[in-house]
Amino acid sequence: MTRRRPLAARTLLATAALAATLTLAACDPEGTDADAAPPTSTSAAVSASTSASASASASASASASASGGKRALAEAATAGGLTRATGDAQLSDVPVDPGEMREGMTLVEANYRQAKGGSGRPVLFAGVDNVPEDPSKRREHLWRGLIDYALGEGSTGSPGTSVAYPAGPLGGNLECFPLGADALCGWTDASTAAVALFPATSPADAAARFVRMRADLEH
């Protein structure tokens, strides 16, 4: 069952304003729209990334088969040098809609504390494994929820252009884009899709951090 955190009215207005530049997949992560007009800005990059992800997913699938099966996600006490928040700083509810959760799927969502001297806001990670549809579609769904959440938590601006970065030793596809001073990243491979919000971080730095986090979160 899909769970969604209620959004403030100003968040809904901000999200509506993004529709012209951010046309991601419909809330149903399995939905497609073959007749949609060519998207622009971030939506163009995300739509293009869907094709790139398909090729990357095929490569990742072959790699996963060679290594004995699909990969899974697991919450880690530390990820990429960041420490999972506990106590009042940990998640009390699911702030990002993960889409339909089916039997056998795992949802991992956690706040990870940044180093002292940073923005003070944690890195929010959300990911699912055993994705039954094209993982790139699930990532687009997660990105939509992450943008809504970021705007509701004080992020400003409109999403910029998505850029592909090296995905690291686990392969697949990794992309990040700016949202004001923040960065949003997402990876996909043959069976997993995950996203993260990096406060006050450039997309390039966020991508490098996300690769290190992935090594601790995906197995």
Side-chain angles (χ1 to χ4, degrees):
M1 179 180 295
T2 299
R3 296 170 287 177
R4 184 179 294 277
R5 181 184 181 181
L7 299 176
R10 65 185 181 85
T11 306
L12 293 175
L13 292 174
T15 304
L18 293 178
T21 56
L22 184 66
T23 307
L24 300 179
C27 286
D28 176 0
E30 295 181 279
T32 58
D33 186 359
D35 298 324
T40 58
S41 189
T42 301
S43 60
V46 172
S47 296
S49 77
T50 301
S51 298
S53 296
S55 298
S57 293
S59 176
S61 178
S63 176
S65 298
S67 62
K70 295 180 178 180
R71 299 191 182 102
L73 299 182
E75 190 171 290
T78 59
L82 305 181
T83 303
R84 181 169 56 82
T86 58
D88 292 341
Q90 66 183 341
L91 295 169
S92 59
D93 197 1
V94 179
V96 174
D97 177 8
E100 182 180 0
M101 294 298 295
R102 302 180 184 180
E103 184 177 359
M105 295 179 68
T106 303
L107 168 65
V108 174
E109 192 167 55
N111 280 327
Y112 283 92
R113 293 184 180 277
Q114 300 196 78
K116 292 182 179 179
S119 71
R121 296 161 57 199
V123 172
L124 170 62
F125 172 85
V128 290
D129 61 16
N130 286 315
V131 177
E133 73 278 354
D134 179 356
S136 65
K137 293 295 184 183
R138 184 63 67 118
R139 179 177 63 178
E140 290 171 11
H141 186 89
L142 286 166
W143 261 335
R144 286 189 67 144
L146 194 62
I147 291 169
D148 286 347
Y149 172 79
L151 294 174
E153 292 297 307
S155 296
T156 59
S158 298
T161 300
S162 173
V163 175
Y165 292 90
L170 293 178
N173 172 266
L174 169 62
E175 296 185 26
C176 299
F177 56 92
L179 179 64
D182 301 337
L184 293 85
C185 293
W187 88 61
T188 62
D189 57 24
S191 60
T192 71
V195 297
L197 168 65
F198 293 86
T201 307
S202 71
D205 288 345
R209 172 72 72 176
F210 206 31
V211 168
R212 297 195 296 273
M213 292 179 68
R214 186 181 177 191
D216 295 317
L217 291 162
E218 185 179 15
H219 305 281

